[in-house]
Amino acid sequence: MRIENVKIVDPFFSVENGWIEFEESITGYGYSKKSGSSSILMPGFVDTHVHGGSGYDFMDEKIDFDKVEKHFFSTGVTSVLATTLTAPVGNIRNAIDAVRKRIKENPITPLKGVHLEGPVISKKHVGAQNPDFILKGTLSNLKEIIQGNEDFVKIMTIAVEESDDEAIGYLQSKGITISVGHSDATFEQFMHFYKLGVKHMTHFCNAMTPLHHRKIGLVGAGLKLDDVDLELISDGIHLDEEMISLILKFHPHDRIVAITDAMRAAGLKDGEYDLGGLKVKVKDNSARLEDGTLAGSVLKYNEGLKRLHDLGLNLNEIAVVSSFKPSTIVKSKDPIGRIMPGYDADFVIMDDNFSVLKVFKKGKIVFSKEGG
């Protein structure tokens, strides 16, 4: 298949008026003789932290994967790490099994593996997680959760101060990205694990020790250390626009990972929903527990990217934070995240307002604004 007269935006180059040829993977691209490209073609977006959408959560016993995947595709997302919650170990393993089964059954699913958010978290920064199922980060506890799924768990959010060095080493030996989140770690505690190679933070600024002028905490560590990857929820709620601008000003853009942290209500109307057994009220694009605690988001991925663009990121930088950087966490067997020959033909076509027009997954049209 061939698409012409589009502006091609790779993380590291652009073709103002371009063409692209592809089957399941990209076979070539170049400059088009036609002029006046009206649409933007970028690598498909990669959401490494998302709990569900269209009424379903990845922790549910029964999931209509077709509906959830349609929601992801409609927002330009072509690769997903299904994110779990703090829950009984058996429930977490069942969720992993369900995602693995879906991947085997559907060759064009966006699912690429799992992000374990919890159960090793701090009781002081529970957020919208269920405190009844929190575990210590011991080697035996982590093995009970992960054993047999080492190749499938791509990232794990943990409170490092609740974890043993041995357990951290185990995760690293399996190639699992350790992300610090829901954590009460001091700057000094974080630095101990940073020196062991822990360089990733979950939904930066949220559910972690804040910045103080005498105790800079995890937020201070994220701003200070240029080689730490920061997840950003750019919904204007988890982080206001001034904070996002501050992060973009002081942190390298190639160390930023755009996420949604979206829960089951994403793509649906306001109302009451469930998150891990907790009641969540969704109103005015905000999802909160009864006490006002933020409970994930209902952010659409493309809308979050528009906010980042409005705050100063150019399109190539958008492609870095939405595709290239998160693809390094996914570690896909088939390369994703760039518009280059040999890479999967996963890409999104949108207008200059970030409205998704058409989405391709492995060369197949999986969403069209005209046809749904």
Side-chain angles (χ1 to χ4, degrees):
M1 186 178 290
R2 182 181 175 104
I3 296 174
E4 294 196 53
N5 197 33
V6 290
K7 178 176 182 176
I8 296 173
V9 178
D10 177 84
F12 306 108
F13 68 85
S14 298
V15 180
E16 194 62 36
N17 293 298
W19 58 265
I20 183 170
E21 290 183 344
F22 57 94
E23 295 177 0
E24 283 194 5
S25 60
I26 298 168
T27 55
Y29 70 91
Y31 291 90
S32 176
K33 293 181 180 179
K34 296 181 180 179
S35 61
S37 56
S38 59
S39 301
I40 300 164
L41 184 148
M42 301 177 68
F45 308 139
V46 181
D47 196 348
T48 59
H49 187 155
V50 57
H51 296 274
S54 291
Y56 295 92
D57 187 290
F58 288 119
M59 296 297 295
D60 291 345
E61 289 186 17
K62 293 183 179 180
I63 301 173
D64 187 333
F65 281 104
D66 288 335
K67 282 188 177 180
V68 181
E69 291 172 0
K70 184 178 180 180
H71 165 71
F72 292 143
F73 290 141
S74 73
T75 67
V77 172
T78 56
S79 295
V80 166
L81 292 186
T83 307
T84 62
L85 292 164
T86 296
V89 171
N91 292 16
I92 295 172
R93 290 187 66 89
N94 287 342
I96 296 172
D97 290 343
V99 173
R100 188 187 290 276
K101 181 181 178 184
R102 176 61 176 181
I103 290 174
K104 288 181 179 178
E105 292 175 346
N106 182 13
I108 59 169
T109 179
L111 299 176
K112 290 285 189 178
V114 171
H115 175 166
L116 300 179
E117 187 179 15
V120 182
I121 61 175
S122 168
K123 292 183 179 180
K124 294 182 180 179
H125 295 278
V126 171
Q129 304 273 339
N130 193 325
D132 293 342
F133 305 112
I134 291 175
L135 295 178
K136 287 287 185 181
T138 63
L139 180 61
S140 60
N141 281 342
L142 293 188
K143 281 188 173 181
E144 185 181 0
I145 299 167
I146 294 171
Q147 207 154 42
N149 293 303
E150 293 90 346
D151 63 327
F152 203 63
V153 176
K154 308 292 184 157
I155 183 171
M156 185 171 188
T157 292
I158 62 175
V160 286
E161 76 280 8
E162 301 292 339
S163 308
D164 300 336
D165 289 7
E166 188 180 25
I168 296 295
Y170 164 71
L171 294 176
Q172 292 174 323
S173 72
K174 302 302 179 183
I176 297 169
T177 297
I178 300 166
S179 187
V180 182
H182 292 276
S183 171
D184 197 48
T186 64
F187 174 78
E188 292 76 17
Q189 286 174 317
F190 173 74
M191 286 305 297
H192 169 77
F193 292 97
Y194 170 83
K195 291 173 183 176
L196 295 177
V198 176
K199 298 182 179 182
H200 198 286
M201 290 189 178
T202 295
H203 41 52
F204 186 55
C205 296
N206 292 276
M208 63 177 59
T209 45
L211 175 67
H212 184 274
H213 59 283
R214 287 191 295 271
K215 296 180 180 179
I216 70 170
L218 287 170
V219 172
L223 291 173
K224 175 182 171 66
L225 301 167
D226 286 349
D227 58 347
V228 173
D229 298 334
L230 308 180
E231 288 186 355
L232 292 193
I233 309 172
S234 53
D235 60 357
I237 298 169
H238 283 79
L239 299 169
D240 68 24
E241 292 190 351
E242 288 76 14
M243 188 63 195
I244 296 174
S245 294
L246 182 68
I247 295 166
L248 297 181
K249 181 177 181 179
F250 289 105
H251 204 74
H253 298 155
D254 63 354
R255 289 292 185 170
I256 290 173
V257 182
I259 63 162
T260 61
D261 193 16
M263 46 88 74
R264 71 170 75 246
L268 300 180
K269 296 179 180 179
D270 288 356
E272 289 192 358
Y273 297 89
D274 171 85
L275 182 67
L278 305 175
K279 289 183 179 180
V280 177
K281 186 174 182 179
V282 175
K283 185 178 180 181
D284 300 328
N285 295 317
S286 178
R288 296 180 183 270
L289 301 182
E290 292 177 329
D291 65 2
T293 301
L294 285 169
S297 84
V298 290
L299 178 66
K300 294 179 180 179
Y301 201 96
N302 58 309
E303 293 177 357
L305 295 184
K306 183 181 185 302
R307 181 171 282 104
L308 292 176
H309 185 56
D310 291 344
L311 291 173
L313 290 192
N314 63 42
L315 289 177
N316 299 101
E317 291 167 334
I318 291 292
V320 170
V321 304
S322 66
S323 301
F324 181 73
K325 183 57 187 180
S327 76
T328 66
I329 298 165
V330 170
K331 301 182 182 73
S332 175
K333 293 179 181 177
D334 301 315
I336 58 173
R338 294 202 63 186
I339 304 298
M340 292 286 288
Y343 278 69
D344 273 1
D346 294 1
F347 42 81
V348 54
I349 299 175
M350 61 184 192
D351 63 22
D352 57 9
N353 200 40
F354 284 76
S355 177
V356 176
L357 305 177
K358 195 168 289 188
V359 179
F360 291 78
K361 177 69 181 176
K362 287 188 176 292
K364 294 184 176 2
I365 298 174
V366 290
F367 173 80
S368 174
K369 188 175 182 179
E370 296 176 352

